[in-house]
């Protein structure tokens, strides 16, 4: 019997589909939702979450309260890296099922945008992620069906970011000016 080229190599298993009618959604969506809920509960309902928020807002005050700032920073970055590894593994094990050069297509930038727009809310993380995912998916479909340039999605995403950031700055400065007017009156 002829030996295979790579003895002992087994083809990895592909991530299972959710089973929705005509949907390519996999259990990666369920894993992401469970992770969002778990992190949200940890951050909002536990002492560890309160300490993490304290370290993020004021490391000096946290240090004075006896919180090991470096340990919490290291732990939070380690957990974030682990979540990124799981996400990358799920990406490789889903639709393309290959690890190709340049496969990320800006996922790191999109993750940063999601984090900045969510502003610490896990509910907002889920909503912004879905919004940007729908935007990218719709852009790919528009590119294939109508011939819209691929850069259009990046432009729309950038305009969206500018509008949300501008609205945030505007509401923050409006609240400050109203507070000053109330103090002076």
């Amino acid at each position: 019997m002829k030996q295979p080229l790579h003895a002992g190599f087994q083809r990895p298993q592909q991530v299972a589909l959710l089973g929705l009618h005509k949907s390519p959604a996999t259990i990666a969506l369920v894993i992401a939702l469970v992770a969002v809920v778990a992190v949200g509960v940890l951050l909002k309902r536990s002492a560890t979450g309160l300490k993490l928020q304290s370290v993020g807002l004021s490391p000096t005050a946290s240090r004075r309260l006896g919180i090991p700032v470096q340990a919490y920073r290291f732990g939070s970055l380690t957990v974030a890296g682990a979540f990124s590894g799981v996400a990358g593994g799920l990406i490789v094990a889903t639709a393309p099922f290959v690890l190709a050069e340049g496969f990320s297509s800006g996922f790191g930038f999109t993750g940063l945008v999601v984090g900045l727009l969510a502003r610490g809310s896990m509910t907002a993380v889920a909503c912004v992620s879905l919004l940007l995912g729908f935007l990218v998916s719709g852009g790919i479909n528009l590119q294939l069906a109508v011939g819209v340039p691929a850069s259009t999605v990046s432009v729309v995403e950038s305009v969206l970011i500018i509008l949300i950031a501008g609205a945030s700055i505007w509401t923050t400065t409006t609240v400050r000016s109203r507070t000053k007017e109330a103090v002076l009156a």
Side-chain angles (χ1 to χ4, degrees):
M1 181 160 63
K2 193 174 184 181
Q3 287 287 333
L5 186 59
H6 299 288
F9 177 77
Q10 293 180 345
R11 182 179 168 96
Q13 295 297 313
Q14 197 167 2
V15 176
L17 293 174
L18 279 179
L20 302 173
H21 181 66
K22 292 187 178 184
S23 172
T26 64
I27 62 167
L29 183 63
V30 175
I31 293 170
L33 287 174
V34 167
V36 165
V37 170
V39 170
V41 168
L42 174 83
L43 291 177
K44 295 292 183 191
R45 307 279 185 206
S46 71
T48 302
L50 184 62
K51 289 177 184 177
L52 281 169
Q53 288 178 3
S54 171
V55 167
L57 292 172
S58 177
T60 307
S62 300
R63 202 173 287 112
R64 288 184 181 160
L65 288 171
I67 298 172
V69 172
Q70 294 301 331
Y72 274 92
R73 282 182 177 168
F74 180 77
S76 64
L77 289 174
T78 303
V79 170
F83 279 132
S84 297
V86 169
L90 288 171
I91 287 171
V92 170
T94 53
F97 201 47
V98 292
L99 179 59
E101 183 178 340
F103 80 101
S104 73
S105 69
F107 293 133
F109 174 74
T110 304
L112 217 90
V113 169
V114 167
L116 289 172
L117 293 179
R119 304 185 74 184
S121 168
M122 293 309 291
T123 306
V125 166
C127 293
V128 172
S129 297
L130 281 173
L131 172 74
L132 292 180
F134 289 150
L135 182 67
V136 170
S137 177
I140 291 170
N141 288 335
L142 280 174
Q143 183 181 0
L144 293 174
V146 186
V148 174
S151 60
T152 305
V153 174
S154 298
V155 170
V156 170
E157 186 176 329
S158 300
V159 169
L160 184 67
I161 292 166
I162 290 170
L163 289 174
I164 292 173
S168 174
I169 291 170
W170 184 67
T171 57
T172 303
T173 55
T174 304
V175 168
R176 284 184 191 162
S177 64
R178 286 183 184 165
T179 306
K180 285 181 184 177
E181 289 173 4
V183 169
L184 295 175

